[in-house]
Amino acid sequence: MAETTEASGRAAGAPAPAAVPGPGHGRDAAGAPGPGPTAPTVLEVLRRLDSGPRGLTEAEAEERLARSGGNTVPGRRPASWPRLFVRSLRDPFTAVLGCLGLVSALVLAWGAASVILLLVAVSCVLRASGEHRADRSMAGLRELVATTATVLRRADGEEAAAAREIPVDDLVPGDVVRLGPGELVPADVRLLRSSGLTVHQAALTGESAPVAKHAEDTPGRTGGGVFEQPQLCFQGSSVASGSATAVVTATGGHTRFAAAQDRYPGPREASAFDRSVHGISWTLIRFMLLTPPLVLMANAALRGRGLETLPFAVAVAVGLTPEMLPVLVTTCLARGASLLARTHGVIVKRLPALHDVGAVDVLCLDKTGTLTQDRPVVDRAIGADGRDDPDVLRWAAVNAWWTLQLADLPVPDALDEAILDAADEDALTAYDGTAAVPFDPLRRLATAVVRTPGRLGRHTLVVKGDVEAVLGRCVLTEDARERLRGLAAEQAGGGVRVLAVATAERRARTRAYTPADERGLTFHGLVTLRDALTPTAADALVVLTGQGVTVKILTGDHPGTAARACRDLGIPVADDAVLTADRIDGLTDTELTELARRTTVFARCTPEHKARVTLALRDAGHTVGFLGDGVNDLPALSAADVGIAPREAADVAREGADVVLAEKDLTAIAHAISAGRHASGNIATYLRVTLSSNLGNVIAMLSAGLLLPFLPMLPAQVLAQNLCFDAAQLAFVHDRPHPSELRRPTVLRPRELLRFITGFGLLNAVADLATFGVLAMALYGPGTGDDEAAFHSGWFTENLLTQALVMLLLRIGRRGAEGRRPGPVAWAAAALAAIGLLLPPSPLGPLLGLTTLPGLYYPQLAAVLGLYAAGLLAARARYERRHTGDADGR
């Protein structure tokens, strides 16, 4: 009786399906209307397809298959590994590093060029390999469209048609197929015969309730969109109940499923990750492009040096560059994506999307399958007086049970199953069924006939169905009828589906009962049903709230139904926090952007509405994730910063998404957000540490270069120092961010980062210049060759020691000792400090122009480092206080 779902749901205010019209005009073979007002009959459709009720012959099918092609939906072709590698070269930092490597080669700095180009190659290989693995994982998820279909075929025109299973790819227009409960509709079809047929069209329309379909063969006006036509079923939908025989009208790329996919092929806008990285990249690129000319001009003007300082200028520019950023970003994201796939079955198709997931602060989704299950449960049984009445549920269960038993239905529909689950089984044994009049989508009722307990020779008709249909057959005054209509409307307004129950007593008879007997009924009451909540939804919402993520519902359902589900799960929904599609249509983009901030539920949304709301939220400054599973969700998946789809979603939805979940479960999204913030937190820490340290070193080198009669550090020493620092910072890939970093969206904001690195970079430059003074005191004035080597060695050691301190102390959220064993970053910092102390006096030191330092230098250096560490801690505490205040204010 799933048809009752649709009929009674509409009476209760349930939504009409959101249509995704295909391209073109006029009418196709299925009778889908264009501008025309009528739909063709079955006979007209069969003539147009040159077919008949017995289907095609094998020869006709083979000829049509050769002419029209296989019944396969065009899919996105995964990019090859070489193409992914070339695409990864578009990253701004990667391109700048490549240019610096070429400049280094032009000035014959082969060591620097080799290191830089090696980093570029490693980064591109890692990124291409990670995305190629994700594409291969996605190749195993194409499972929406059926693999076989039951078709009627004949060996020749004289033989009787025989049913057999064939691969769904071999279906052609004109084939006659059979559909049963649980089967997927293999192509676009026109119904020839049907019995109690309802189908799920959520993949196409977003409507959660099954839709009644019937093979109506009378020409008449067609209303609504193509998906509302009762005689048509479409590829991508599935049979909820009943059975049917249908003729195939369109296959492959000509189906509505494929047309909806082709309608939204537009390129995605830049994601949160792309915008952040590009902003940071171009800020640093400007610095790097200015550095070599400034170094050359300053040395030429003040020291009379010419092009011999070009290698040093290039080395300084390289020193400002976070050379390991492409490698570290790719490694962090690839590691997080790999852990997600192994532990939670979540596939990240595009590595930067993992950062976008971590940055999400608004998550848009439909309620069905995430907040609610795709099945109803009984909410209340209400008598005619508006009070709870268990007898109403008892009569409804009697109807559901005997209709199922006597009407030869394969399985109960979702509403009947919910009623039987809620009823007392012992109460059903008191009734003995004798007949049933099954549900019909035209009269919108189902009737069970039972023997009246304790009264021989009497039968009781138990009628259940659409409220208006039942009231029209009851003996009631007009005032009572209006009062009951108001009661039903009031219940429907609360977000529930409503069924009416009535009975009538008749003299027992052997003659069959018909719909004509459904008259003179006594009204008993209403049964209301709500969507069953997903067991994990409430806990997942608590986790998402703790992560600073706001959930917004974008659904095609009735606003009351969506708001009811939200309130049942503890999501506050004010009266002004519900927006319907008709109101959205009347808003400008600016008005919608402002209103979207405080709206929780967007109801009766078409695909265009979902995409527009998603863009409005992005325009409001949010990083938006969208969870969708149907063709109707494609525009919003493309409009969001990160598109998310479950594994069982439509093929095109999975291919259009950035992240694919094992299940349509908010818990999996919470895990993905944690993984994204873990990776993003490590990337942000790396950027803060390396850029502030590099900026301080560059300022100090430029200043010292103007004050000293020699270069403050040789190009080889600058590159060796950078290589050691970069290698040590790979430990950030395995770092564990502080829990506070996982409680709010992680966004790389260029301006905020620039303020951070400027402040801490200046502090680092002061420490470097203080070291310059210490060296001057320890060496009694530089100027000789030996003093030059000692100066280089002292500064080389100090730089590595300060960089080790920065690695330990600029990890935001780490306050003092954390009561646990040293992690990878601590060990890497210790190794970096050891290299700084041991390399100059080692046998390798002279190869880099380094020498042993005097003993007086080390206590003075320790004093400088102590003051530097105290300054870092004070500045970090001040930054954290301000940062926490800003976050609370947002």
Side-chain angles (χ1 to χ4, degrees):
M1 229 184 79
E3 290 86 344
T4 311
T5 305
E6 196 246 2
S8 63
R10 295 286 176 82
V20 182
H25 298 281
R27 184 182 301 145
D28 62 18
T38 62
T41 65
V42 168
L43 183 59
E44 290 173 332
V45 171
L46 290 174
R47 284 177 177 171
R48 196 169 293 147
L49 293 167
D50 193 18
S51 183
R54 296 188 300 162
L56 303 174
T57 65
E58 294 291 351
E60 289 173 336
E62 290 179 6
E63 188 271 332
R64 295 188 186 193
L65 184 63
R67 186 175 67 244
S68 62
N71 180 33
T72 56
V73 178
R76 180 183 64 88
R77 184 177 179 181
S80 63
W81 191 93
R83 186 171 182 177
L84 291 173
F85 181 87
V86 173
R87 187 186 300 168
S88 64
L89 291 171
R90 299 176 186 172
D91 178 85
F93 268 123
T94 303
V96 170
L97 283 176
C99 293
L100 288 175
L102 294 176
V103 171
S104 299
L106 290 175
V107 298
L108 304 181
W110 300 111
S114 300
V115 171
I116 293 172
L117 296 178
L118 178 63
L119 292 175
V120 169
V122 169
S123 170
C124 293
V125 167
L126 288 174
R127 176 170 293 188
S129 299
E131 295 186 2
H132 187 59
R133 281 195 301 271
D135 280 342
R136 284 189 301 175
S137 299
M138 281 297 299
L141 299 180
R142 300 174 180 273
E143 57 188 24
L144 176 71
V145 180
T147 56
T148 62
T150 303
V151 64
L152 298 180
R153 289 274 180 89
R154 296 168 289 152
D156 55 52
E158 303 300 326
E159 292 190 10
R164 65 188 184 90
E165 294 284 322
I166 66 168
V168 73
D169 293 355
D170 293 342
L171 281 179
V172 295
D175 264 329
V176 174
V177 296
R178 289 179 176 173
L179 304 174
E183 293 182 354
L184 297 165
V185 178
D188 288 358
V189 300
R190 207 289 187 189
L191 298 178
L192 303 178
R193 296 180 297 279
S194 65
S195 175
L197 182 67
T198 63
V199 299
H200 286 290
Q201 295 187 154
L204 295 163
T205 67
E207 185 178 27
S208 59
V211 179
K213 297 287 185 177
H214 53 86
E216 193 176 56
D217 196 24
T218 55
R221 296 185 66 84
T222 60
V226 63
F227 294 115
E228 293 187 66
Q229 302 306 311
Q231 72 275 17
L232 305 179
C233 296
F234 302 92
Q235 184 182 59
S237 55
S238 62
V239 178
S241 64
S243 59
T245 302
V247 61
V248 174
T249 60
T251 59
H254 302 287
T255 63
R256 296 280 169 170
F257 189 89
Q261 175 184 358
D262 293 340
R263 189 179 176 194
Y264 308 111
R268 296 178 63 96
E269 292 188 14
S271 68
F273 180 83
D274 296 329
R275 295 193 301 269
S276 299
V277 169
H278 286 187
I280 296 168
S281 300
W282 287 112
T283 299
L284 293 175
I285 287 169
R286 294 184 184 99
F287 276 110
M288 286 184 286
L289 293 178
L290 287 173
T291 299
L294 286 176
V295 173
L296 289 174
M297 288 188 294
N299 277 275
L302 299 179
R303 293 294 176 183
R305 303 181 187 126
L307 290 177
E308 65 270 15
T309 60
L310 181 59
F312 174 72
V314 172
V316 171
V318 172
L320 182 62
T321 309
E323 300 99 331
M324 295 301 292
L325 179 61
V327 176
L328 189 131
V329 166
T330 304
T331 306
C332 280
L333 296 178
R335 184 170 181 269
S338 178
L339 287 173
L340 267 180
R342 289 200 310 268
T343 57
H344 302 292
V346 177
I347 297 174
V348 180
K349 295 172 53 185
R350 186 176 57 86
L351 286 183
L354 185 61
H355 169 273
D356 296 338
V357 174
V360 163
D361 61 345
V362 171
L363 177 63
C364 298
L365 46 87
D366 199 342
K367 66 178 183 61
T368 305
T370 49
L371 302 182
T372 64
Q373 302 178 59
D374 197 9
R375 67 178 182 85
V377 293
V378 171
D379 184 55
R380 293 179 65 191
I382 306 172
D385 58 358
R387 300 177 181 177
D388 291 342
D389 187 349
D391 281 346
V392 176
L393 179 61
R394 175 172 56 86
W395 283 120
V398 169
N399 173 282
W401 175 254
W402 287 111
T403 301
L404 175 66
Q405 300 299 318
L406 300 175
D408 197 26
L409 298 178
V411 292
D413 89 307
L415 295 184
D416 282 350
E417 193 169 21
I419 290 171
L420 292 173
D421 287 343
D424 183 0
E425 293 184 8
D426 295 337
L428 300 178
T429 60
Y431 300 91
D432 185 15
T434 63
V437 183
F439 180 87
D440 183 278
L442 296 179
R443 78 181 206 286
R444 297 172 294 170
L445 297 173
T447 298
V449 183
V450 299
R451 292 186 177 90
T452 306
R455 301 188 63 183
L456 293 175
R458 306 294 291 178
H459 285 170
T460 299
L461 278 69
V462 186
V463 181
K464 171 171 62 67
D466 174 68
V467 173
E468 194 61 41
V470 171
L471 289 176
R473 291 165 172 80
C474 290
V475 179
L476 294 167
T477 65
E478 194 57 35
D479 288 344
R481 204 183 310 275
E482 286 301 317
R483 180 178 60 81
L484 292 172
R485 285 194 182 106
L487 177 62
E490 180 184 354
Q491 296 299 316
V496 295
R497 298 171 186 168
V498 184
L499 298 177
V501 181
T503 63
E505 197 169 298
R506 300 281 190 269
R507 182 179 298 173
R509 74 188 194 201
T510 57
R511 179 166 48 89
Y513 286 88
T514 68
D517 296 303
E518 299 167 340
R519 55 184 172 77
L521 305 179
T522 300
F523 186 83
H524 279 279
L526 306 172
V527 176
T528 64
L529 301 102
R530 58 177 172 81
D531 290 334
L533 301 179
T534 302
T536 60
D539 293 338
L541 285 171
V542 172
V543 174
L544 289 171
T545 301
Q547 293 175 325
V549 177
T550 301
V551 173
K552 295 185 181 292
I553 311 302
L554 277 62
T555 180
D557 280 344
H558 186 274
T561 304
R564 170 63 182 268
C566 291
R567 283 191 286 265
D568 288 345
L569 288 166
I571 302 175
V573 182
D575 292 339
D576 62 349
V578 178
L579 199 62
T580 54
D582 55 347
R583 287 189 60 198
I584 295 174
D585 290 334
L587 297 173
T588 64
D589 290 343
T590 303
E591 292 170 337
L592 181 59
T593 297
E594 181 59 32
L595 198 56
R597 294 175 182 270
R598 58 179 185 269
T599 301
T600 302
V601 175
F602 301 84
R604 295 196 182 279
C605 289
T606 65
E608 290 76 13
H609 290 124
K610 293 182 179 181
R612 191 177 171 210
V613 170
T614 302
L615 289 173
L617 289 167
R618 289 184 64 182
D619 291 341
H622 296 288
T623 301
V624 182
F626 185 91
L627 173 63
D629 59 0
V631 176
N632 63 310
D633 293 322
L634 278 176
L637 286 170
S638 179
D641 286 291
V642 53
I644 308 169
R647 181 168 54 187
E648 65 271 14
D651 278 353
V652 291
R654 289 199 307 264
E655 290 180 355
D658 302 303
V659 177
V660 178
L661 310 177
E663 304 291 341
K664 192 176 182 181
D665 185 0
L666 290 180
T667 304
I669 298 179
H671 288 308
I673 288 174
S674 295
R677 292 182 182 176
H678 190 137
S680 299
N682 288 342
I683 294 169
T685 300
Y686 165 78
L687 283 171
R688 285 193 291 260
V689 168
T690 190
L691 291 178
S692 56
S693 178
N694 287 357
L695 181 61
N697 288 339
V698 167
I699 293 173
M701 284 187 183
L702 292 176
S703 301
L706 299 177
L707 297 173
L708 295 174
F710 53 83
L711 293 177
M713 194 175 291
L714 298 178
Q717 294 165 355
V718 174
L719 294 172
Q721 171 190 287
N722 287 341
L723 185 60
C724 293
F725 189 33
D726 291 336
Q729 288 182 103
L730 286 176
F732 284 120
V733 172
H734 304 280
D735 194 21
R736 300 184 65 179
H738 193 271
S740 64
E741 292 291 290
L742 304 181
R743 289 197 292 266
R744 57 178 178 264
T746 305
V747 181
L748 300 175
R749 296 184 174 89
R751 290 185 179 179
E752 180 182 314
L753 183 63
L754 185 59
R755 286 196 300 268
F756 183 97
I757 64 176
T758 301
F760 284 92
L762 290 174
L763 184 60
N764 187 49
V766 169
D768 285 346
L769 292 175
T771 304
F772 171 70
V774 168
L775 286 168
M777 292 174 60
L779 302 176
Y780 303 102
T784 65
D786 292 338
D787 288 345
E788 183 177 331
F791 187 94
H792 292 160
S793 302
W795 208 345
F796 182 89
T797 298
E798 184 269 347
N799 275 335
L800 291 187
L801 290 176
T802 55
Q803 287 169 341
L805 279 176
V806 166
M807 288 181 64
L808 290 175
L809 300 181
L810 283 194
R811 295 156 70 205
I812 301 302
R814 310 283 182 159
R815 291 183 171 87
E818 296 177 348
R820 59 180 208 189
R821 290 177 295 180
V825 174
W827 287 113
L832 188 64
I835 293 173
L837 292 169
L838 300 177
L839 184 59
S842 73
L844 295 176
L847 297 177
L848 293 173
L850 303 175
T851 187
T852 303
L853 290 165
L856 180 62
Y857 171 72
Y858 292 103
Q860 295 174 335
L861 176 61
V864 171
L865 293 177
L867 293 173
Y868 178 54
L872 277 179
L873 290 173
R876 191 188 77 172
R878 182 171 179 271
Y879 171 83
E880 287 182 345
R881 285 194 300 271
R882 184 192 305 168
H883 188 62
T884 303
D886 292 344
D888 293 340
R890 288 192 293 270

